[in-house]
């Protein structure tokens, strides 16, 4: 799935997306959604969130879009 990043600076063709703790992300960016591309060494931070629940909610939205047949998703 192609995902357009939260800050509108990246478009990543992801084969997997994860929520991870963002060390050094400041008060507002403690958790990040990271997209992993197939065939490259690029792992892109697609968005940062102040808490894990908000990041997990966004991950649920990405999955729902994928499950619904969307080929792309805008964060």
């Amino acid at each position: 799935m192609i995902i357009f990043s939260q800050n509108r600076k990246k478009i990543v063709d992801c084969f997997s997306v994860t929520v991870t703790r963002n060390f050094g992300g400041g008060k507002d960016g403690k958790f990040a959604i990271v997209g992993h591309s197939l065939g490259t060494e690029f792992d892109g931070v697609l968005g940062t969130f102040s808490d894990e629940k908000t990041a997990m909610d966004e991950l649920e939205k990405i999955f729902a879009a994928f499950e619904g047949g969307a080929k792309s998703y805008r964060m």
Side-chain angles (χ1 to χ4, degrees):
M1 172 180 253
I2 295 172
I3 300 178
F4 191 45
S5 69
Q6 186 182 50
N7 67 1
R8 301 181 345 212
K9 293 184 178 183
K10 296 177 193 164
I11 297 173
V12 181
D13 189 2
C14 301
F15 77 90
S16 105
V17 180
T18 59
V19 171
T20 186
R21 180 106 172 127
N22 185 19
F23 297 99
K27 185 169 56 172
D28 294 329
K30 292 293 183 188
F31 289 87
I33 291 183
V34 179
H36 308 278
S37 291
L38 188 59
T40 67
E41 295 180 17
F42 179 76
D43 290 339
V45 174
L46 298 171
T48 57
F49 304 89
S50 59
D51 58 81
E52 188 174 24
K53 182 190 179 322
T54 306
M56 294 299 294
D57 289 346
E58 186 69 22
L59 186 64
E60 287 280 343
K61 291 177 188 176
I62 292 169
F63 180 74
F66 174 75
E67 191 174 41
K71 302 217 184 293
S72 63
Y73 183 82
R74 181 186 299 257
M75 292 187 62

